Amino acid sequence: MEKSLLLLLFLATSSYCSSSEQSIVDVGVYHDHVKMTSSLMLLRERYPRLTHLYSIGESVEGRSLWVLAISALNPDSHVTLRPEVKYVGNIHGNEVIGREILLQLAEYLLVNYGKDDDVTNLLDNTRVHIMPTLNPDGFERSIEGVCYSQVGRNNANGYDLNRNFPDFFEDTGLRIQAETAAIMGWLKTEHFVLSAQLHAGALVATYPLDNLHPAKKKLYKDVLQDNSPYSACADDDVLRFLALTYSTHHGRMRMYNETTRWANYNPEMGFKDGISNGADWYAVAGGMQDYNYFADGCFEITVEVNTCMHPPRAEISRFWEENRAPLVQYLKQVHRGVKGIVTNLVDNSLIHGAEVRVHERNLPQRTTKLGEFWLILLPGNYNIEISKSGFDTRMISVEVSAELYQTTRLDVSLRSTSSEIAPPISLISILCTLIVINFAEV
């Protein structure tokens, strides 16, 4: 039924919109699932060379989980060493502004390709995946104008999707939901380097880790009376910088008096610089942010875009204007650090699953099926360690530039420990062998 309705709406509007340059995504309305799907289809029709529309699965109630991929070259497939980045909105169905500003972002990128240098450089060198909603069922239940409510927050089965992922530190014991499984499957088909998820209820950009070992959590609580201790990962410097990138380019997020901690029900406390370590705000088990980091090596932050979860539609345009610049500037950060391809020294074949890490950082990146890797790093000198079972480990020193789009290229060949090349057979050895054979025959 849903697919038939969407097809009729698409056919009725496509001929008009494709011949007109008027905006496809209306900034003055909330897009329910039918309107959102129609808008994505119309963007796909108007910009066929720049877009690829696909679904990663369905919600509990059967609504498609749409993703619009945007790039200047082959938006429907991966290009070697072109990084994949993503935005995911509306994880909590009643936190709706992320859904709307991601629809606006999609059209903004398409309209401004070839006109705006930032947008053009981004799409020439990156494939951007925009998923406006992970929780379309919850959105349909949410109530406009209600800032703080649980109505529509969870999926149709009553599960909080941002507590439903496998957790690195503890077993949540929760049944994986259809929407969660769709994201997990997506991460297996695409290797994302950079990501952000959009929420509401506060004004802050948070970064991993969201959780920590239960024993450590209990120790901080019992001994230090700290219910939310800082939980740093090996890439804390980079992730903190990424969160700062977003908050710095936002008009209000970096202002202490604007970043009230509504989720802690304390409007007097703000966030310094508009950012926070996830666990330092409040610890979350089963979050999507940590799952991206540990399962796929993807650097993901969480952006709380406004304190009201479902504001009146008249306010959508203001939130879009506030977040337009940081949304673009954040994605550009994927073009920092080191990238390259790992191959077999003997036959130059691509090595899948090699571990690439900054020396003494415990979480490695793993090479793709094409042997690719990306390390987002801040400017400086690093020792990069490349290893794979059955191959000699290599350590290579590199310098990382401060300039965007000046990623250091590091292609590495590994020597197999099980394919030693036999020494050449000399002519004398061959003659001696023939003599022995001749004597044996006599």
Side-chain angles (χ1 to χ4, degrees), residues 155-230:
N155 78 340
N157 286 335
Y159 282 79
D160 185 330
L161 297 178
N162 202 36
R163 310 290 188 273
N164 193 236
F165 287 84
D167 193 84
F168 181 77
F169 297 101
E170 56 186 294
D171 183 5
T172 64
L174 298 176
R175 180 164 60 91
I176 299 298
Q177 295 298 291
E179 298 89 348
T180 311
I183 291 287
M184 294 168 66
W186 194 23
L187 297 188
K188 291 178 181 178
T189 59
E190 299 288 352
H191 179 79
F192 292 103
V193 183
L194 183 64
S195 175
Q197 54 176 295
L198 275 55
H199 289 259
L203 188 63
V204 65
T206 74
Y207 54 95
L209 297 174
D210 269 341
N211 202 10
L212 63 162
H213 194 282
K216 184 177 179 181
K217 199 185 310 184
K218 185 176 186 301
L219 179 67
Y220 271 80
K221 181 179 179 181
D222 294 347
V223 177
L224 302 177
Q225 288 74 55
D226 185 354
N227 291 322
S228 54
Y230 196 110

Side-chain angles (χ1 to χ4, degrees), residues 231-291:
S231 184
C233 66
D235 299 289
D236 188 74
D237 61 333
V238 178
L239 289 160
R240 187 177 185 279
F241 173 81
L242 291 171
L244 270 172
T245 297
Y246 200 98
S247 69
T248 299
H249 288 90
H250 190 283
R252 295 184 297 121
M253 191 175 288
R254 207 172 180 186
M255 299 168 63
Y256 186 83
N257 63 326
E258 292 282 352
T259 58
T260 50
R261 295 175 181 244
W262 286 109
N264 282 358
Y265 303 101
N266 185 352
E268 301 304 320
M269 295 181 63
F271 296 95
K272 186 178 185 300
D273 295 324
I275 67 170
S276 177
N277 171 261
D280 196 31
W281 184 14
Y282 63 96
V284 167
M288 186 167 69
Q289 180 170 266
D290 282 8
Y291 182 79

Side-chain angles (χ1 to χ4, degrees), residues 343-349 351 391 394 412-416:
T343 57
N344 188 320
L345 180 63
V346 174
D347 59 8
N348 205 37
S349 59
I351 297 180
F391 292 84
R394 292 192 63 183
V412 181
S413 294
L414 297 182
R415 181 181 181 183
S416 173

Side-chain angles (χ1 to χ4, degrees), residues 52-322:
H52 170 57
L53 181 62
Y54 65 101
S55 172
I56 65 168
E58 293 185 343
S59 67
V60 170
E61 294 182 339
R63 294 181 174 92
S64 294
L65 302 175
W66 293 114
V67 179
L68 187 68
I70 305 175
S71 189
L73 176 67
N74 297 342
D76 60 341
S77 60
H78 178 68
V79 173
T80 301
L81 283 179
R82 180 183 64 181
E84 310 281 349
V85 300
K86 64 181 169 71
Y87 278 128
V88 179
N90 202 204
I91 297 90
H92 294 141
N94 63 332
E95 298 173 15
V96 300
I97 288 297
R99 172 191 184 109
E100 296 302 324
I101 65 176
L102 288 183
L103 287 172
Q104 293 294 329
L105 175 66
E107 185 164 32
Y108 175 80
L109 294 177
L110 293 168
V111 167
N112 286 282
Y113 178 73
K115 302 174 184 177
D116 179 274
D117 287 344
D118 266 354
V119 171
T120 303
N121 286 337
L122 179 67
L123 296 186
D124 280 345
N125 295 282
T126 324
R127 186 161 67 141
V128 180
H129 301 252
I130 296 177
M131 184 180 186
T133 179
L134 178 61
N135 189 358
D137 300 347
F139 174 85
E140 298 297 324
R141 294 169 172 80
S142 185
I143 304 169
E144 183 176 352
V146 177
C147 286
Y148 305 103
S149 169
Q150 295 295 309
V151 177
R153 175 183 174 88
N154 298 336
N155 78 340
N157 286 335
Y159 282 79
D160 185 330
L161 297 178
N162 202 36
R163 310 290 188 273
N164 193 236
F165 287 84
D167 193 84
F168 181 77
F169 297 101
E170 56 186 294
D171 183 5
T172 64
L174 298 176
R175 180 164 60 91
I176 299 298
Q177 295 298 291
E179 298 89 348
T180 311
I183 291 287
M184 294 168 66
W186 194 23
L187 297 188
K188 291 178 181 178
T189 59
E190 299 288 352
H191 179 79
F192 292 103
V193 183
L194 183 64
S195 175
Q197 54 176 295
L198 275 55
H199 289 259
L203 188 63
V204 65
T206 74
Y207 54 95
L209 297 174
D210 269 341
N211 202 10
L212 63 162
H213 194 282
K216 184 177 179 181
K217 199 185 310 184
K218 185 176 186 301
L219 179 67
Y220 271 80
K221 181 179 179 181
D222 294 347
V223 177
L224 302 177
Q225 288 74 55
D226 185 354
N227 291 322
S228 54
Y230 196 110
S231 184
C233 66
D235 299 289
D236 188 74
D237 61 333
V238 178
L239 289 160
R240 187 177 185 279
F241 173 81
L242 291 171
L244 270 172
T245 297
Y246 200 98
S247 69
T248 299
H249 288 90
H250 190 283
R252 295 184 297 121
M253 191 175 288
R254 207 172 180 186
M255 299 168 63
Y256 186 83
N257 63 326
E258 292 282 352
T259 58
T260 50
R261 295 175 181 244
W262 286 109
N264 282 358
Y265 303 101
N266 185 352
E268 301 304 320
M269 295 181 63
F271 296 95
K272 186 178 185 300
D273 295 324
I275 67 170
S276 177
N277 171 261
D280 196 31
W281 184 14
Y282 63 96
V284 167
M288 186 167 69
Q289 180 170 266
D290 282 8
Y291 182 79
N292 270 265
Y293 182 70
F294 286 117
D296 198 44
C298 174
F299 287 12
E300 178 169 287
I301 68 169
T302 298
V303 182
E304 303 274 353
V305 296
N306 64 297
T307 54
C308 182
M309 295 177 181
H310 198 150
R313 63 190 64 194
E315 297 183 24
I316 296 173
S317 60
R318 175 168 68 89
F319 292 122
W320 160 235
E321 291 301 324
E322 283 187 332

